[in-house]
Amino acid sequence: AYVLELTLKLLAYGLSFATKPWIWFDIVVVFVGALVYIVRAAGVLDLQPGVAAALRLFRVIRLVKLFVVAPKFKALLHTFWQILPSIVSFCGFLVCIVYTFAVIAVFLFQCRYTDDNSDYT
């Protein structure tokens, strides 16, 4: 999808639209990703899966752009970091409850299991 958008922008505006460093970074990341895909598909160069994954990792860096472009996203992420300890505590509480009921179920239904593994009584 981004390749199509990039192609249309190049046809419409030429290189004049690529004035910001983030746009050039996006272009390089997409170009490298496409190049890795073509090289692996053609079998010209045997890239190890780790090398290809490391090159694709640069796509994640594009998310950093959200912090610069969208201040509301930064506020949302800051709020998430503030409530993360509460979320972790709540998940731990849920795990304790599930574990407790699992132990109770094992003790309640242990006599219903037969040793020959053929059926339940």
Side-chain angles (χ1 to χ4, degrees):
Y2 187 73
V3 175
L4 178 65
E5 178 187 347
L6 182 63
T7 305
L8 291 174
K9 283 184 179 180
L10 278 173
L11 290 174
Y13 302 115
L15 288 177
S16 63
F17 83 96
T19 56
K20 296 181 181 177
W22 283 112
I23 295 174
W24 282 106
F25 180 73
D26 287 343
I27 290 170
V28 169
V29 167
V30 170
F31 178 74
V32 167
L35 187 65
V36 167
Y37 177 76
I38 291 169
V39 166
R40 288 190 73 190
V44 175
L45 183 62
D46 185 26
L47 285 176
Q48 299 297 325
V51 174
L55 292 174
R56 285 192 305 265
L57 183 65
F58 282 109
R59 287 191 236 170
V60 176
I61 298 174
R62 291 174 62 191
L63 293 175
V64 175
K65 178 172 57 171
L66 289 175
F67 295 114
V68 176
V69 175
K72 288 184 180 182
F73 182 76
K74 186 186 286 187
L76 180 69
L77 192 62
H78 179 71
T79 303
F80 175 75
W81 282 114
Q82 284 182 336
I83 65 169
L84 188 62
S86 299
I87 293 173
V88 170
S89 297
F90 182 71
C91 289
F93 176 70
L94 288 179
V95 166
C96 290
I97 289 175
V98 169
Y99 181 76
T100 302
F101 281 104
V103 169
I104 291 171
V106 166
F107 283 112
L108 286 177
F109 297 107
Q110 68 183 351
C111 62
R112 304 218 10 129
Y113 183 72
T114 60
D115 288 339
D116 61 0
N117 294 331
S118 60
D119 62 347
Y120 293 96
T121 58

